């Protein structure tokens, strides 16, 4: 007969009743608890209350190592999970070897990212570490063999990470993969007012929505994040205000610096304040341009509200937006990107300059649409930086298709170019298509990389003077 700790629970409710306190309730209760001061022994072999033994099964006393792969949305999720665990009492460590539990936050976009994730699971198990899995890989395919018996927290359930970690430490295997809904309508995800530990204390990453409206044939992320679900404007504005509280930022730049992502900042943080104080907001999602279409609003409306909440000297940076959802807002987007507190930067993936390849990808736009967006913004927003993505070797891509992509890059000389060799992801339509030979994909990736490194996109800034 298997031991109780070996059983797999499909949901945390199997062992946690409705009467038990939720994480945020536990935290509020903890504020009213005053620890009794004890005299510590000076003997080196006796551990103090501040450093319990690593094999302790008292929840909240363990050390946790968190590893995140992937996009800024994933990084924001990781920061939220770290914040909640730290608020409950767990120690977040950067030393994986000393950790009692590994929280692995995965990315499913490309094969190498999942390979790293799988290898990390194996390494944790070999080191007898407790493991909790998060992110898009287990959300999209929770029944994969190498995930069996392991605790999983879904992308919309990160506000319950303390519960999952606690039960995993006790020896249970727990899986929370449900969708958050309100009156049957899917929500954007966990609450935005959760505690957070930022990798960069000066930058707040806010996911404005989860999922998207597309059905790209190569995309595995859609299987994990699902259809579009946007956060209400008021919640996003409140999160931004909370993030900015208590910061004073002095920026060493002129107006022209707005188009340079790596602008120099001189930051002065008030040491007496305990608020969150950041100097930049990054908006993120699977497609920021689609924001609000499910709740009767749109991206420009949100951005104008956020701009009002941004203090003088702080900045807003927009995330990735696909061409179809920005075409109808070009005029408004140009005005927003010209605002002194908004970076003149936009990430617009083209993926291929061949209309036939775009059709096979089901990207829902043509190359002319992409060019219209880029040309308009370059004309209306002086000094704007346009970033884009290219997939090399998509199934069915011919030499002439790839040459069209090379011409596009040569024409626009994108200062930021994300070059991706195509990887067929399991369960996607593109994985069943006729594949381009690996050697050809590799060569095309190399050729495009060489083209990118052959030009100097910032030559126009030579001898450019900066005034304080």
């Amino acid at each position: 007969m298997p031991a109780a700790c070996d059983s797999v629970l499909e949901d945390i409710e199997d062992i946690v009743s409705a009467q038990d306190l939720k994480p945020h309730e536990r935290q509020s209760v903890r504020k009213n608890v005053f620890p009794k001061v004890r005299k510590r022994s000076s003997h080196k072999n006796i551990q103090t209350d501040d450093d319990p033994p690593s094999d302790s099964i008292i929840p909240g006393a363990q050390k946790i190592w968190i590893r995140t792969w992937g996009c800024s949305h994933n990084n924001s999720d990781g920061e939220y999970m770290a914040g909640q665990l730290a608020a409950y009492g767990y120690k977040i460590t950067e030393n994986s070897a000393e950790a009692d539990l590994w929280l692995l936050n995965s990315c499913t976009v490309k094969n190498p990212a999942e390979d790293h994730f799988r290898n990390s699971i194996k390494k944790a198990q070999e080191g007898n570490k407790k493991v909790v899995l998060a992110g898009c890989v287990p959300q999209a395919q929770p029944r994969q063999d190498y995930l069996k018996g392991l605790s999983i927290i879904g992308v919309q359930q990160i506000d319950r990470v303390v519960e999952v970690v606690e039960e995993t430490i006790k020896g249970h295997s727990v899986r929370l993969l449900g969708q958050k809904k309100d009156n049957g309508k899917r929500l954007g995800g966990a609450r935005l007012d959760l505690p957070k530990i930022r990798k960069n204390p000066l930058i707040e990453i806010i996911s404005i929505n989860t999922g998207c409206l597309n059905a790209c044939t190569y995309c595995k992320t859609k299987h994990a994040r699902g259809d579009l679900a946007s956060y209400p404007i008021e919640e996003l504005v409140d999160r931004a205000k909370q993030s900015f509280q208590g910061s004073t930022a002095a920026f060493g730049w002129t107006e022209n610096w707005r188009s340079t992502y790596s602008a120099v900042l001189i930051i002065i943080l008030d040491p007496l304040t305990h608020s969150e104080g950041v100097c930049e907001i990054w908006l993120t999602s699977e497609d920021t341009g689609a924001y609000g279409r499910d709740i009767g609003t749109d991206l420009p409306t949100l951005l104008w509200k956020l701009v009002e909440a941004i203090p003088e000297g702080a900045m807003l940076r927009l995330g990735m937006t696909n061409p179809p959802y920005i075409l109808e807002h070009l005029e408004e987007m140009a005005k927003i990107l010209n605002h002194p507190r908004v970076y003149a930067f936009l990430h617009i993936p083209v993926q291929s300059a061949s209309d036939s390849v775009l059709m096979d990808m089901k990207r829902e736009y043509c190359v002319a649409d992409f060019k219209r967006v880029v040309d308009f913004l370059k004309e209306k927003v002086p000094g704007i930086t346009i970033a884009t993505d290219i997939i090399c070797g998509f199934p069915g891509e011919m030499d002439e298709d790839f040459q069209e992509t090379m011409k596009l890059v040569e024409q626009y000389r994108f200062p930021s170019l994300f070059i991706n060799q195509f990887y067929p992801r399991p369960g996607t339509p593109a994985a069943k298509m006729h594949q381009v030979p690996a050697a050809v994909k590799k060569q095309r990736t190399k050729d495009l990389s060489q083209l990118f490194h052959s030009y100097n996109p910032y030559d126009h800034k030579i001898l450019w003077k900066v005034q304080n």
Side-chain angles (χ1 to χ4, degrees):
M1 180 176 179
C5 63
D6 294 331
S7 61
V8 177
L9 302 176
E10 289 301 323
D11 201 298
I12 195 80
E13 280 79 6
D14 292 338
I15 51 176
V16 179
S17 70
Q19 286 74 34
D20 287 333
L21 293 177
K22 296 297 186 290
H24 65 280
E25 295 171 333
R26 292 175 180 167
Q27 179 61 19
S28 63
V29 171
R30 288 168 67 92
K31 294 178 181 178
N32 299 320
V33 177
F34 298 92
K36 181 179 180 180
V37 178
R38 297 180 181 179
K39 185 177 181 180
R40 298 179 181 177
S41 171
S42 60
H43 197 287
K44 293 183 179 180
N45 293 329
I46 299 178
Q47 291 180 293
T48 66
D49 291 339
D50 290 340
D51 189 17
S54 60
D55 61 351
S56 170
I57 60 170
I58 303 172
Q62 290 75 23
K63 296 177 182 179
I64 298 176
W65 180 64
I66 301 176
R67 174 73 189 276
T68 293
W69 293 266
C71 64
S72 55
H73 192 164
N74 244 28
N75 276 280
S76 179
D77 287 351
E79 292 175 348
Y80 273 127
M81 289 189 284
Q84 293 171 84
L85 291 166
Y88 188 70
Y90 291 102
K91 180 180 178 181
I92 308 302
T93 178
E94 295 184 2
N95 186 340
S96 61
E98 74 173 14
D100 303 290
L101 180 143
W102 287 13
L103 174 55
L104 304 176
N105 189 19
S106 62
C107 172
T108 192
V109 172
K110 294 189 289 187
N111 291 12
E114 183 170 351
D115 290 342
H116 287 306
F117 175 62
R118 184 189 296 108
N119 291 337
S120 293
I121 294 173
K122 182 179 179 181
K123 186 175 181 180
Q125 293 171 328
E126 290 173 348
N128 294 318
K129 306 292 185 181
K130 301 289 187 181
V131 182
V132 172
L133 309 178
C136 293
V137 171
Q139 179 73 55
Q141 290 183 296
R143 299 188 185 280
Q144 292 188 83
D145 288 342
Y146 72 93
L147 304 180
K148 286 183 178 179
L150 299 176
S151 290
I152 294 174
I153 183 164
V155 295
Q156 284 203 311
Q157 302 288 341
I158 61 172
D159 55 341
R160 301 180 68 182
V161 65
V162 171
E163 298 169 71
V164 176
V165 165
E166 181 174 328
E167 296 306 325
T168 302
I169 286 172
K170 291 178 182 178
H172 300 119
S173 178
V174 184
R175 297 191 168 200
L176 287 181
L177 295 166
Q179 303 287 338
K180 287 190 175 295
K181 297 182 179 181
D182 182 19
N183 294 324
K185 182 176 178 59
R186 185 167 178 266
L187 300 177
R191 301 194 333 266
L192 294 174
D193 60 349
L194 297 169
K196 205 175 201 186
I197 296 180
R198 299 185 185 87
K199 288 186 176 180
N200 186 329
L202 304 179
I203 296 174
E204 167 70 8
I205 304 173
I206 302 178
S207 56
I208 62 176
N209 55 262
T210 189
C212 68
L213 295 173
N214 298 333
C216 300
T217 55
Y218 57 82
C219 184
K220 187 71 176 177
T221 305
K222 176 79 174 196
H223 296 188
R225 298 283 183 177
D227 293 326
L228 179 69
S230 304
Y231 285 98
I233 288 178
E234 57 271 17
E235 291 183 18
L236 294 166
V237 172
D238 286 345
R239 177 70 226 188
K241 289 180 178 178
Q242 177 184 339
S243 303
F244 281 123
Q245 288 174 357
S247 64
T248 304
F251 289 69
W253 59 20
T254 62
E255 182 67 18
N256 290 332
W257 278 80
R258 293 174 51 255
S259 63
T260 305
Y261 171 70
S262 57
V264 174
L265 310 180
I266 304 171
I267 308 299
I268 306 169
L269 296 180
D270 184 354
L272 300 179
T273 180
H274 297 287
S275 51
E276 296 191 23
V278 303
C279 62
E280 287 187 25
I281 293 283
W282 291 5
L283 301 185
T284 184
S285 76
E286 284 64 59
D287 187 352
T288 58
Y291 171 80
R293 287 173 175 253
D294 58 320
I295 57 174
T297 185
D298 53 43
L299 181 62
T301 302
L302 167 65
L303 295 178
W304 285 123
K305 291 291 185 182
L306 286 172
V307 165
E308 293 175 5
I310 297 175
E312 190 68 32
M315 298 295 290
L316 175 69
R317 174 184 181 266
L318 277 61
M320 185 273 289
T321 178
N322 284 311
Y325 305 115
I326 195 174
L327 276 168
E328 63 189 82
H329 300 306
L330 282 178
E331 291 281 355
E332 282 299 295
M333 290 301 298
K335 293 177 183 177
I336 291 165
L337 291 168
N338 274 309
H339 194 282
R341 291 196 290 276
V342 179
Y343 281 116
F345 168 89
L346 199 59
H347 179 189
I348 315 168
V350 64
Q351 306 299 9
S352 173
S354 164
D355 284 341
S356 63
V357 173
L358 290 176
M359 185 175 298
D360 289 340
M361 292 179 174
K362 290 193 175 179
R363 289 291 289 168
E364 299 183 0
Y365 60 86
C366 60
V367 179
D369 294 331
F370 174 81
K371 289 183 175 181
R372 180 186 166 197
V373 171
V374 174
D375 292 342
F376 183 90
L377 293 178
K378 287 174 72 70
E379 176 186 355
K380 299 294 184 180
V381 186
I384 190 172
T385 295
I386 300 290
T388 195
D389 298 359
I390 302 289
I391 295 176
C392 296
F394 185 81
E397 181 186 66
M398 307 298 289
D399 285 338
E400 51 267 33
D401 297 320
F402 178 68
Q403 289 307 314
E404 289 300 315
T405 298
M406 293 282 282
K407 291 177 184 177
L408 182 77
V409 174
E410 178 65 43
Q411 176 184 352
Y412 287 98
R413 295 182 168 236
F414 302 103
S416 182
L417 182 63
F418 300 94
I419 302 170
N420 302 286
Q421 180 177 317
F422 175 76
Y423 290 96
R425 301 298 291 133
T428 62
K432 300 177 182 178
M433 297 178 180
H434 181 67
Q435 303 296 308
V436 172
V440 175
K441 289 192 291 185
K442 186 175 182 178
Q443 185 61 49
R444 289 175 183 173
T445 303
K446 182 179 179 180
D447 291 345
L448 187 57
S449 298
Q450 288 177 340
L451 172 59
F452 173 68
H453 290 295
S454 71
Y455 59 80
N456 299 307
Y458 297 110
D459 276 351
H460 63 288
K461 293 187 182 292
I462 295 176
L463 301 179
W464 175 52
K465 294 182 180 180
V466 180
Q467 298 177 354
N468 292 327

